[in-house]
Amino acid sequence: MTTTTLAHPPVVSADTWLAERKALLADEKALTKQRDRVNAQRRRLPMVKLEKTYRFDGPNGETTLLDLFEGRRQLLVYHFMFDPAWENGCSGCTGLVNAIGDISLLYDRDTTLALVSRAPLAKLNAYKARHQWTLPWVSSFGSDFNYDFHATLDESVAPVQYNYRDQEELANKQEQHFMTGESHGMSVFFRIEHEVFHTYSTYARGCENLTNAYSLLDITPYGRQQDFEDSPAGWPQRPTYG
């Protein structure tokens, strides 16, 4: 075998590999069952009726949160990081949206997916056209929406909270990058006639299920190549948040 300095998994016999693969399979099956249990628990999470009528700037003028359902029962909102002062959207959010494939299965299950950002609609439309996206994308500029759902953090507007941690908890966890400005997240809403309810929100790594790209990387030797991962010494890694 050619000698190389390239970081790589150890090379073993087929029998040794099979034994270790079976051991990993047992853990994978346990993880699948645990994920099913968590999903079942999430489906039983109660919901909160929204008392505000959130209004957005959309391609057809003023749009409400109820309008974003497009007549369906459930609404997924991805809080796309795009500050009003920025000329471009967040590169991480862009990568996630770029990786979204055919979502017709959502429509078959009475569910809509939309993007919401604070940047003015003109900037969103230009960025959307550049990337040839077709998902609904509206501007929440001038609305409380981002602040109420903790996707924009500004203590002068609302108490700082991200991923269910307040400002003190974020500081203690040395997560100062989550204490100000734009952040990404996913919020889920349910509609009963004209009443809208908030059922769920998730942030940080909780949003990675928006795309299969991370799941695909998870089964490669190098993984996601991010510094939060427990990888062997020498594996390529880059900052998870930077």
Side-chain angles (χ1 to χ4, degrees), residues 69 112 123-124 136 190 194:
F69 281 80
T112 299
K123 287 188 176 182
L124 302 186
F190 190 84
H194 297 293

Side-chain angles (χ1 to χ4, degrees), residues 13-133:
S13 69
D15 287 344
T16 299
W17 178 88
L18 182 59
E20 296 205 20
R21 178 64 188 96
K22 286 183 175 180
L24 176 60
L25 179 60
D27 286 339
E28 288 176 337
K29 287 181 177 293
L31 180 61
T32 298
K33 291 178 180 178
Q34 174 61 14
R35 183 170 60 246
D36 288 344
R37 286 190 289 268
V38 171
N39 288 341
Q41 185 177 357
R42 187 183 298 111
R43 288 192 295 271
R44 289 163 175 78
L45 196 67
M47 60 186 185
V48 177
K49 181 181 176 182
L50 298 187
E51 301 299 337
K52 290 185 180 180
T53 301
Y54 293 103
R55 302 184 185 280
F56 309 96
D57 189 12
N60 299 316
E62 185 178 85
T63 300
T64 66
L65 189 61
L66 182 63
D67 293 330
L68 292 182
F69 281 80
E70 296 181 344
R72 300 186 180 95
R73 180 66 57 202
Q74 302 182 129
L75 171 66
L76 299 161
V77 168
Y78 181 63
H79 302 281
F80 190 109
M81 293 171 61
F82 203 145
D83 187 277
W86 299 351
E87 295 306 316
N88 295 291
C90 161
S91 59
C93 295
T94 300
L96 284 176
V97 176
N98 275 333
I100 295 175
D102 180 5
I103 60 169
S104 59
L105 182 63
L106 291 181
Y107 304 147
D108 291 342
R109 301 297 190 275
D110 211 14
T111 302
T112 299
L113 172 63
L115 311 177
V116 174
S117 302
R118 265 198 329 124
L121 184 64
K123 287 188 176 182
L124 302 186
N125 285 342
Y127 200 70
K128 179 179 179 178
R130 191 188 319 164
H131 290 275
Q132 299 181 320
W133 293 339

Side-chain angles (χ1 to χ4, degrees), residues 49-220:
K49 181 181 176 182
L50 298 187
E51 301 299 337
K52 290 185 180 180
T53 301
Y54 293 103
R55 302 184 185 280
F56 309 96
D57 189 12
N60 299 316
E62 185 178 85
T63 300
T64 66
L65 189 61
L66 182 63
D67 293 330
L68 292 182
F69 281 80
E70 296 181 344
R72 300 186 180 95
R73 180 66 57 202
Q74 302 182 129
L75 171 66
L76 299 161
V77 168
Y78 181 63
H79 302 281
F80 190 109
M81 293 171 61
F82 203 145
D83 187 277
W86 299 351
E87 295 306 316
N88 295 291
C90 161
S91 59
C93 295
T94 300
L96 284 176
V97 176
N98 275 333
I100 295 175
D102 180 5
I103 60 169
S104 59
L105 182 63
L106 291 181
Y107 304 147
D108 291 342
R109 301 297 190 275
D110 211 14
T111 302
T112 299
L113 172 63
L115 311 177
V116 174
S117 302
R118 265 198 329 124
L121 184 64
K123 287 188 176 182
L124 302 186
N125 285 342
Y127 200 70
K128 179 179 179 178
R130 191 188 319 164
H131 290 275
Q132 299 181 320
W133 293 339
T134 59
L135 285 172
W137 197 2
V138 298
S139 171
S140 61
F141 187 72
S143 162
D144 294 335
F145 186 77
N146 275 50
Y147 300 100
D148 288 352
F149 292 95
H150 310 291
T152 299
L153 308 177
D154 184 344
E155 62 180 339
S156 69
V157 178
V160 170
Q161 181 194 103
Y162 189 71
N163 211 11
Y164 306 99
R165 292 173 176 161
D166 62 23
Q167 192 165 14
E168 182 179 357
E169 291 170 316
L170 289 168
N172 290 340
K173 290 286 186 179
Q174 297 185 341
E175 293 182 328
Q176 285 84 356
H177 45 272
F178 288 138
M179 293 176 61
T180 185
E182 304 301 306
S183 291
H184 76 293
M186 175 77 82
S187 292
V188 184
F189 302 93
F190 190 84
R191 179 179 66 85
I192 301 177
E193 300 303 333
H194 297 293
E195 295 181 329
V196 177
F197 301 82
H198 176 223
T199 68
Y200 181 77
S201 284
T202 189
Y203 306 90
R205 289 191 61 202
C207 297
E208 62 193 30
N209 289 332
L210 186 63
T211 169
N212 289 328
Y214 285 137
S215 297
L216 291 172
L217 287 170
D218 282 340
I219 63 174
T220 67

